[in-house]
Amino acid sequence: MSLVLFEDQRVARLDPVAIGKPAFAICAGSYRLVDLVAELDGPIGARVRPHLAELVAADFPQLSKGAISAGGNTLWLNAQAVPSVPLVEQLRAIIASGKAGLVETAGADGSVVVAAALVPAGAAFGQAAESPSDDAFRKLGLPRLEADIPLFEYPHDVIRHHLATLPANLEHRIAHGQYRQLGDGVFAAADAVLGQYAVTDTRNGPIVLEAGASIGPYCYLSGPVHVGAGARVLEHAALKDGVAIGHTAKIGGEVEASIIEPYTNKQHHGFLGHSYLGSWINLGAGTCNSDLKNTYGPVNMEYHGQKVATGMQFVGAIIGDYAKTAINTGIFTGKTIGACSMVYGFVTTNVPSFVNYARLFGQVTEAPVEVMVATQRRMFARRGVEQRACDIQLLYAMYELTVHERKRSGETLSLEPLSL
């Protein structure tokens, strides 16, 4: 029995969240899908977009060894599946039954999407390097399997499912990890530190601190909260109502109901709410976002020029990897900021990837990819991380894949003359 995580043709809808990472590496509810499925027996493989292949081979070597089973069944799982404890339980049940079939789920646009498929041994299927399409799965003629496997379809879904799954996912962590209990509902792994005069409220969920995490003095934490390994929460910070912080991040100010991926800095005062921050982001001092419309109505997002109803009253900012904000940047409700962008002033519209955005001053110019390569090298060096050829290659690929975002009336934005 083997498992293959595959990205389907709709994965681009998740940009800028997934432009620089496979969908199975998106954190929600404190877990990545690739982490949870590791609890299942058998080898694991992956089918990802071509520009991510080298990165996946380097960062997920356990997946490169996973292959389609020649003598047993193969479970194909959509890489956009929401990582949750119920998902793992359902996958175990499908595997145990041994019954071949398809699990389909209704998409937000009314389409029917293949979420998983148990393909029987001997089926000549999935030998190509690219991901199979929905039609390819259906041509197998497999019966329908009864299971509920929700998928991330748009970036705001990551926030929505994160808030729904975080309490149970943290309980799963506590049950299967090695933690000491520092107080009622507060659990800490080795070398994690809860600073003096910190106030914790676990009535709505636990607080889990991973190895080497540190909470500074005079902080307020209201569960459910997850702080990743080696992450630092600075003095006087407030983490409230569903926050998950990735490893090696530095966080200050007020954060509510948000996901912050590894290596990101938000270490100064300012509000971040109902938002998703990718990796290697830096928010300047005083950066704040709005997560509620003045009308208190549901937030509509704009993706790829189309408006999408979220059905959510609270949606903040969606910020792609390597983005930066200047001091006192203000981000309006429900805006996306593309990967490798640099933002100044008020963000009143969506921001493309690889731009210097200063609409307040009448300027939106293209940020050269060479500048981002140099910036990446400096950022990595500060954290003791090696800049590899695959990291540089990814930046160039992301730049090419987002050219369309920087088009305005058919013309490309001019290059900003920034020094390296």
Side-chain angles (χ1 to χ4, degrees):
M1 177 70 200
S2 61
L3 171 69
V4 179
L5 301 171
F6 70 94
E7 294 187 325
D8 73 13
Q9 60 271 29
R10 301 169 185 82
V11 70
R13 290 180 179 177
L14 290 174
D15 291 347
V17 172
I19 184 65
K21 62 171 65 70
F24 59 68
I26 297 170
C27 181
S30 84
Y31 276 118
R32 304 178 303 178
L33 180 64
V34 68
D35 299 325
L36 274 179
V37 297
E39 298 181 10
L40 302 172
D41 294 330
I44 303 174
R47 295 286 190 275
V48 297
R49 289 157 286 168
H51 77 281
L52 296 174
E54 289 187 25
L55 185 78
V56 169
D59 287 349
F60 302 93
Q62 73 276 24
L63 299 186
S64 65
K65 298 175 183 178
I68 297 172
S69 178
N73 296 339
T74 300
L75 177 61
W76 292 78
L77 177 63
N78 195 310
Q80 294 161 235
V82 176
S84 68
V85 175
L87 170 66
V88 175
E89 294 172 350
Q90 290 187 86
L91 295 179
R92 282 202 179 99
I94 292 172
I95 293 170
S97 74
K99 181 181 178 181
L102 292 182
V103 178
E104 296 180 319
T105 186
D109 58 1
S111 61
V112 179
V113 183
V114 173
L118 187 64
V119 178
F125 181 80
Q127 301 301 322
E130 65 272 8
S131 292
S133 65
D134 285 354
D135 286 343
F137 280 112
R138 294 189 179 107
K139 286 180 180 177
L140 293 171
L142 300 175
R144 182 182 177 88
L145 299 178
E146 293 301 323
D148 180 18
I149 301 180
L151 306 177
F152 297 135
E153 295 190 74
Y154 294 101
H156 63 267
D157 289 327
V158 179
I159 300 169
R160 177 165 60 89
H161 287 294
H162 162 73
L163 295 176
T165 61
L166 183 58
N169 282 4
L170 289 184
E171 294 292 351
H172 181 78
R173 281 186 176 275
I174 294 166
H176 293 83
Q178 296 183 346
Y179 302 96
R180 66 190 191 279
Q181 191 162 357
L182 303 182
D184 186 19
V186 181
F187 299 87
D191 301 322
V193 176
L194 184 65
Q196 286 187 306
Y197 310 114
V199 176
T200 60
D201 181 350
T202 58
R203 288 174 293 179
N204 295 321
I207 296 167
V208 178
L209 312 178
E210 299 297 345
S214 66
I215 309 298
Y218 301 102
C219 289
Y220 173 68
L221 285 73
S222 175
V225 166
H226 181 248
V227 181
R232 294 175 54 200
V233 178
L234 306 183
E235 65 277 1
H236 299 284
L239 309 181
K240 304 185 298 184
D241 307 333
V243 173
I245 299 171
H247 71 77
T248 328
K250 291 194 290 187
I251 306 300
E254 181 184 4
V255 183
E256 178 183 11
S258 295
I259 304 159
I260 300 174
E261 296 277 20
Y263 293 111
T264 281
N265 285 351
K266 182 219 172 294
Q267 61 179 352
H268 302 291
H269 288 289
F271 173 73
L272 179 76
H274 291 85
S275 296
Y276 174 91
L277 269 60
S279 291
W280 298 104
I281 290 169
N282 188 76
L283 301 188
T287 294
C288 293
N289 78 278
S290 167
D291 59 4
L292 175 67
K293 294 167 63 175
N294 286 343
T295 62
Y296 286 64
V299 177
N300 295 324
M301 302 291 287
E302 182 181 330
Y303 302 118
H304 306 289
Q306 295 185 336
K307 285 191 175 181
V308 176
T310 69
M312 301 164 64
Q313 187 177 34
F314 291 90
V315 182
I318 310 291
I319 306 182
D321 297 340
Y322 298 103
K324 310 288 185 289
T325 70
I327 59 170
N328 296 321
T329 297
I331 307 170
F332 280 36
T333 308
K335 300 307 175 191
T336 63
I337 296 176
C340 300
S341 58
M342 302 185 186
V343 180
Y344 311 83
F346 289 112
V347 178
T348 60
T349 65
N350 286 349
V351 178
S353 298
F354 290 91
V355 299
N356 298 293
Y357 177 98
R359 282 178 62 95
L360 181 64
F361 311 111
Q363 297 179 359
V364 181
T365 56
E366 188 171 88
V369 65
E370 294 80 8
V371 171
M372 300 314 303
V373 171
T375 303
Q376 182 191 67
R377 182 179 65 250
R378 296 172 187 136
M379 293 182 71
F380 281 18
R382 283 169 55 89
R383 296 296 185 90
V385 175
E386 177 189 1
Q387 185 186 43
R388 305 162 300 182
C390 64
D391 299 311
I392 298 172
Q393 173 269 329
L394 179 60
L395 290 180
Y396 278 94
M398 290 164 62
Y399 177 82
E400 293 298 330
L401 288 168
T402 57
V403 167
H404 66 282
E405 297 180 18
R406 297 183 292 280
K407 297 284 187 178
R408 293 295 183 271
S409 301
E411 295 183 359
T412 303
L413 299 170
S414 62
L415 290 174
E416 176 75 357
L418 292 178
S419 65
L420 300 182

